[in-house]
Amino acid sequence: MLWISHRGESIDAPENTLDAFKLSLDRNTSGMECDIRLTADKKLVVCHDSDTKRTCGGASMKIEESTYDELQKLCANNNKPGFENARIPLFGETIQHLGNDRLYFIEIKEDDPNVIDALVEELDKAQLPPEKVVMISFKNNIVKLYKHRFPNRKAYFLANFWVSQDGTWWPSVDRLIEELNEMGADGVDIRANFTFLNQEYVDKVKAAGFEFSVWTVDDPATAKRCIDIGINIITSNCAAHIRDSLAQS
């Protein structure tokens, strides 16, 4: 079973900061997840939102329209006390907290091929083996392009269940498998929504040759339910806590 710390161990440290990633390493989770964006001066930084307002105490700056130096003036503690020195980190800085034998799930937020180039450059610079990295994205085009250019690197398609006005829902298992094949993806990372998710769904995706991961699970009961239907990769804001809780039950 793999437990991935969502934006680091963000339950106890500000999301997507070095503090959160270090905490995930200290707690020895199976890996960590982050979100990457390019600044106006083409620095690859880690931040979920395109605007800093939510995570930086109301200070609003657009990541893609701001330089790295400008962003460094902000406190990125997401209103968590005790982390007043937290800053938006460079992606390259976060790798120091990956450690050995852990996975790095890296989400490309925008439909921008330049982010792929910047990411792979940083991975190569750090000499990070391809098997330690999973690129994830909601953007079909990004997954397809990434796999076309780097077939030996893993990529999962990020997905969320939704229902249209006529009552039909997406993605049905057949449609998901079709899209994964079209993109050349290695697997799916989908929201843990049990209105739609069941063992038949998981089994069919895995039987088609794809890996299956879910986000974002923050309670042991839901995690246990995921495990029971065959899911073996769970992303959580409190990955260590859920892992330890289930180990003791």
Side-chain angles (χ1 to χ4, degrees):
M1 188 64 210
L2 299 179
W3 302 99
I4 307 299
S5 299
H6 185 238
R7 308 175 197 171
E9 282 286 277
S10 53
I11 193 72
D12 292 319
E15 66 176 62
N16 278 326
T17 62
L18 295 181
D19 296 291
F21 298 128
K22 182 179 184 300
L23 199 56
S24 75
L25 177 60
D26 291 345
R27 292 175 176 177
N28 195 31
T29 60
S30 308
M32 60 195 198
E33 183 265 359
C34 76
D35 309 280
I36 57 173
R37 296 179 178 277
L38 275 176
T39 64
D41 54 342
K42 306 307 177 186
K43 302 289 187 182
L44 195 64
V45 298
V46 177
C47 189
H48 180 273
D49 301 355
S50 61
D51 191 298
T52 63
K53 184 176 182 178
R54 178 179 64 86
T55 56
C56 296
S60 179
M61 295 178 69
K62 300 288 187 183
I63 299 289
E64 284 79 7
E65 298 174 3
S66 307
T67 67
Y68 171 69
D69 286 343
E70 289 170 339
L71 293 168
Q72 288 305 286
K73 298 174 184 177
L74 305 179
C75 174
N77 71 347
N78 200 17
N79 296 315
K80 287 185 183 290
F83 295 95
E84 285 69 28
N85 292 324
R87 296 293 181 267
I88 295 172
L90 291 167
F91 170 74
E93 294 178 305
T94 70
I95 296 174
Q96 66 183 303
H97 297 308
L98 182 59
N100 298 321
D101 303 318
R102 296 209 312 148
L103 287 175
Y104 206 165
F105 277 52
I106 304 164
E107 181 179 350
I108 294 180
K109 301 299 295 183
E110 301 295 334
D111 192 357
D112 181 0
N114 292 319
V115 181
I116 295 176
D117 295 327
L119 171 60
V120 174
E121 181 180 344
E122 290 291 342
L123 296 176
D124 287 344
K125 187 188 301 183
Q127 298 183 319
L128 204 57
E131 61 269 19
K132 295 187 70 173
V133 174
V134 181
M135 192 283 292
I136 57 177
S137 181
F138 282 101
K139 311 298 184 183
N140 304 50
N141 181 59
I142 289 294
V143 176
K144 187 174 183 178
L145 182 59
Y146 187 87
K147 288 299 297 182
H148 174 73
R149 293 180 56 192
F150 305 103
N152 295 325
R153 296 182 180 273
K154 278 192 178 183
Y156 290 178
F157 176 52
L158 275 169
N160 193 2
F161 293 102
W162 57 268
V163 181
S164 65
Q165 289 184 341
D166 65 6
T168 58
W169 61 279
W170 186 93
S172 67
V173 66
D174 291 333
R175 182 57 186 152
L176 176 61
I177 290 171
E178 182 181 342
E179 292 210 11
L180 293 175
N181 278 314
E182 288 174 356
M183 288 179 276
D186 297 285
V188 65
D189 192 3
I190 201 164
R191 185 173 184 178
N193 185 336
F194 287 99
T195 300
F196 310 99
L197 205 53
N198 54 39
Q199 185 159 0
E200 181 182 2
Y201 193 104
V202 175
D203 287 348
K204 194 165 185 179
V205 172
K206 292 170 71 173
F210 299 105
E211 297 168 11
F212 208 111
S213 176
V214 293
W215 58 271
T216 301
V217 178
D218 284 347
D219 69 274
T222 302
K224 177 65 164 54
R225 193 171 178 182
C226 291
I227 294 168
D228 288 345
I229 63 172
I231 295 165
N232 55 10
I233 307 174
I234 293 175
T235 300
S236 171
N237 295 309
C238 47
H241 166 70
I242 295 180
R243 175 200 61 197
D244 296 344
S245 295
L246 292 181
Q248 295 168 9
S249 62

